[in-house]
Amino acid sequence: MRPLDLYEKDSSKRITIYFEGKVLDAYDGEKLPVALLANRIYWITTSLQGRKRGAFTFGPLPVVINGVKNMNGRKTAVRDGMRIERQNYGEFQEVVEIGENKETIQEVVDVAVIGGGMAGIGAVLELQEHLTVAIIEERGWLGGAMSLKGITQEGFDGSPREVIDELTSKFNENVKVFKGTISLGVFDEGEYFLVPAVKKGQLIEIMAKKVILATGAVENILLFENNDFPGVFRLDFALEVMNKWGVAPGRKVAIVGRRPERVIPELEKWGIEYVVVPNPKRIEGEEGVERLIDMNNNVYEVDAVIMSDYRIPDINPVTQAGGKLTFKWGYYVPVIDEQNRIREGIYVAGSVTGIKPHYANYLEGRLVGAYILKEFNYKSTPAVYREKLEKYEPEALPPLHVDFKAMDLKDVQICGCDVDLKKVDDVVKQGITDLQIVKRLTHLAMGFCQGRFCLFNGAILVSQRTGKEMSTIDLPVARPPLKNVRVKALAKE
Ligand code: ATP
């Protein structure tokens, strides 16, 4: 077994790959950073400013594969003989060429569901008997955040994998599933909405009469020194490497953040040693985490750090589609009407409307499906779902106080695309507090994640430095495309 494998894998799939010339064991089809992690290789790429980066915090993951530069390591499956080398960010941006040779696929459906988490699955199951549905999911599998968990979730019987398999096996012939497909946004097109999506460089144009945004939530990124260092894991990545790929994040991990209980049972299930460190200050190491130092100068010898904090709704798809935001429960959520609509024809369901257990998000998907059935004059019972949902008040996020004085802000990354906290703080301290202008001056939220992970921290910074309430801070509207792709045809270059 490789050093961080959690169990023996199928030996018939065993292959050899090369990283920086080093010979490594891997398994055919394994995700590239996972294959490297299993061999204890954390440092995979280098940021523009020369910072060592891994694959599991934030930011892009450009690598050289078989001599070809600017490949997205995060989306690459390893194959026998693959040669991988480090690369720095350079001009990395994934470009989707829509050329003469590739015909655009067009689909016309009643409802397009963006996001294949529990909310999206619930919506599909509700709608499919009477309406045609397309469900678009960026990951190569359905189930969203719940699919990464290894422990039975409240409201469901059985392991998350079993529940998801069972529910999705009920999809009927009215349902078209687009996995590994990124939706670029929602656009008005006469009586329809156009939902352009991209799968492996192929443009798919989905025309739908109604759209459901079930795009979920993202992990809150914690601010401390070297929070981008190889070996620091966002919680969703830590869960994915363990539960989906059977690889440990490290031998001894530190859990930081205000919700350690979100990861403790998962680590215990695999017998991974951990220590909870509530007040991280700095991470140090050569090519991966070697130690974590807290605000009281206690030193923890660990080889990985997991950020286990709160989730916050991913509001980019909402603002792109023309929705407005409000500040509630400590984070930004879409303004919705009594049928969960952000505007005529566009609905929201799941953790994008407020952070709740997976089962509640599933119910909300069904609820929105029921509203749409009614719109199409089919019999449905939204009130039943509404009543069940009442028991789930969304989770409140306590205000985060960043201890600016205790840290070297240059070493704290607020945005994966090489924007440090000092750069943003300097601008805010000059009195510039409009995030739209901060964005232009610092490049915060301009890159890889389009602000999904960093705008919230930008708002916290402005609020803390100026005393302005979070509710009065305007977040810049997301522009298409929602994800880090440049579609040449759309850009009309
Ligand atoms: P829960 O929060 O309980 O897990 P949920 O369904 O509300 O339920 P997620 O599990 O986060 O939320 O699922 C949302 C899914 O939407 C994720 O799997 C994510 O990959 C997908 N997604 C988000 N944005 C896009 C996009 N632009 N295109 C395609 N898929 C997307």
Side-chain angles (χ1 to χ4, degrees):
M1 280 200 329
R2 300 170 299 185
L4 291 184
D5 271 331
L6 287 166
Y7 49 81
E8 201 74 61
K9 314 263 157 64
D10 177 0
S11 59
S12 69
K13 293 203 166 153
R14 207 158 183 152
I15 56 166
T16 301
I17 59 169
Y18 304 86
F19 181 70
E20 295 283 316
K22 214 168 150 190
V23 184
L24 302 173
D25 282 341
Y27 292 89
D28 192 42
E30 209 173 27
K31 218 168 158 177
L32 183 149
V34 174
L36 298 182
L37 172 70
N39 288 286
R40 276 187 166 283
I41 292 168
Y42 289 95
W43 171 33
I44 307 181
T45 186
T46 308
S47 83
L48 281 176
Q49 295 180 2
R51 296 179 70 86
K52 290 173 184 162
R53 287 275 175 88
F56 303 111
T57 319
F58 47 10
L61 192 66
V63 283
V64 184
I65 296 180
N66 298 333
V68 182
K69 283 182 88 168
N70 277 324
M71 302 300 288
N72 185 349
R74 220 173 250 133
K75 288 207 187 134
T76 304
V78 291
R79 302 289 174 216
D80 194 27
M82 190 178 263
R83 290 179 180 274
I84 305 145
E85 279 148 275
R86 288 194 184 102
Q87 188 204 316
N88 72 11
Y89 281 18
E91 289 302 296
F92 178 71
Q93 190 181 30
E94 219 179 325
V95 180
V96 175
E97 311 253 1
I98 297 160
E100 307 85 58
N101 315 337
K102 274 198 174 164
E103 258 185 48
T104 304
I105 296 175
Q106 287 183 323
E107 289 285 348
V108 181
V109 287
D110 294 318
V111 186
V113 178
I114 307 178
M118 296 318 291
I121 292 173
V124 169
L125 289 172
E126 191 67 21
L127 293 163
Q128 63 173 358
E129 194 190 332
H130 299 294
L131 300 174
T132 54
V133 191
I135 179 165
I136 306 153
E137 170 53 53
E138 179 180 4
R139 292 188 171 108
W141 62 89
L142 296 179
M146 187 163 113
S147 72
L148 307 178
K149 305 216 167 138
I151 305 235
T152 301
Q153 301 295 304
E154 186 266 337
F156 295 109
D157 283 333
S159 73
R161 192 66 272 153
E162 284 162 6
V163 170
I164 294 161
D165 286 348
E166 209 219 301
L167 291 175
T168 53
S169 71
K170 291 184 187 152
F171 285 5
N172 70 17
E173 63 291 346
N174 282 337
V175 183
K176 291 205 170 75
V177 180
F178 295 92
K179 289 189 255 186
T181 308
I182 297 177
S183 148
L184 304 179
V186 182
F187 304 87
D188 291 289
E189 189 87 28
E191 286 179 13
Y192 281 83
F193 293 104
L194 165 65
V195 181
V198 173
K199 182 180 181 134
K200 291 199 174 116
Q202 167 76 59
L203 183 67
I204 305 165
E205 287 185 345
I206 298 168
M207 304 291 290
K209 292 182 194 136
K210 311 271 179 210
V211 174
I212 301 176
L213 301 176
T215 38
V218 293
E219 295 293 334
N220 184 34
I221 298 289
L222 293 164
L223 300 174
F224 52 87
E225 292 174 25
N226 296 334
N227 56 342
D228 58 336
F229 203 66
V232 178
F233 285 75
R234 230 167 61 193
L235 180 61
D236 51 341
F237 283 133
L239 295 175
E240 182 182 335
V241 299
M242 290 186 286
N243 295 328
K244 181 133 189 80
W245 303 100
V247 175
R251 281 267 158 260
K252 180 167 182 194
V253 310
I255 308 171
V256 299
R258 294 166 290 176
R259 300 285 311 279
E261 73 282 4
R262 291 182 61 207
V263 73
I264 286 174
E266 306 272 356
L267 292 169
E268 287 181 345
K269 183 182 155 209
W270 293 112
I272 298 169
E273 201 185 329
Y274 64 86
V275 54
V276 177
V277 182
N279 50 355
K281 175 178 165 22
R282 182 176 179 82
I283 281 170
E284 290 179 352
E286 275 303 311
E287 296 194 355
V289 173
E290 287 171 31
R291 72 200 72 87
L292 171 66
I293 300 155
D294 74 8
M295 291 290 184
N296 305 321
N297 287 324
N298 296 312
V299 180
Y300 302 86
E301 304 284 337
V302 290
D303 57 1
V305 173
I306 300 176
M307 295 182 183
S308 189
D309 200 66
Y310 287 82
R311 286 173 90 205
I312 46 174
D314 177 5
I315 36 102
N316 272 7
V318 173
T319 57
Q320 186 284 319
K324 297 261 170 296
L325 300 177
T326 183
F327 190 76
K328 209 172 168 186
W329 305 300
Y331 41 80
Y332 299 94
V333 288
V335 175
I336 52 175
D337 68 9
E338 67 295 340
Q339 288 190 36
N340 272 43
R341 283 179 301 203
I342 57 166
R343 66 182 174 96
E344 190 60 42
I346 307 184
Y347 298 71
V348 281
S351 49
V352 67
T353 72
I355 305 301
K356 318 178 273 309
H358 299 302
Y359 185 63
N361 292 320
Y362 169 75
L363 286 176
E364 200 173 25
R366 297 215 68 135
L367 171 75
V368 162
Y371 285 139
I372 294 178
L373 285 181
K374 259 207 175 344
E375 287 270 312
F376 280 87
N377 291 322
Y378 292 105
K379 206 167 157 283
S380 75
T381 53
V384 172
Y385 298 120
R386 215 359 120 212
E387 200 199 326
K388 285 193 190 162
L389 259 172
E390 266 164 21
K391 119 171 198 227
Y392 299 96
E393 174 70 6
E395 181 178 282
L397 181 132
L400 187 67
H401 182 82
V402 184
D403 197 346
F404 293 108
K405 286 213 181 76
M407 293 187 290
D408 180 351
L409 303 191
K410 253 201 122 9
D411 276 347
V412 182
Q413 296 294 297
I414 183 166
C415 168
C417 302
D418 256 345
V419 185
D420 61 61
L421 193 53
K422 180 163 188 319
K423 196 170 176 185
V424 182
D425 194 37
D426 284 349
V427 168
V428 174
K429 280 201 298 203
Q430 281 171 34
I432 300 166
T433 56
D434 179 336
L435 275 174
Q436 190 65 49
I437 301 173
V438 174
K439 182 172 162 180
R440 271 195 223 122
L441 293 175
T442 64
H443 279 134
L444 175 82
M446 298 268 272
F448 194 69
C449 78
Q450 314 271 302
R452 293 164 86 213
F453 292 100
C454 49
L455 261 185
F456 190 71
N457 277 331
I460 289 179
L461 177 84
V462 168
S463 166
Q464 209 171 306
R465 282 296 193 205
T466 61
K468 261 187 170 181
E469 294 287 332
M470 294 278 282
S471 56
T472 63
I473 295 170
D474 273 339
L475 293 193
V477 168
R479 307 212 179 286
L482 282 173
K483 296 290 166 97
N484 178 48
V485 290
R486 189 155 58 100
V487 182
K488 286 208 162 169
L490 280 182
K492 299 230 186 324
E493 281 180 29

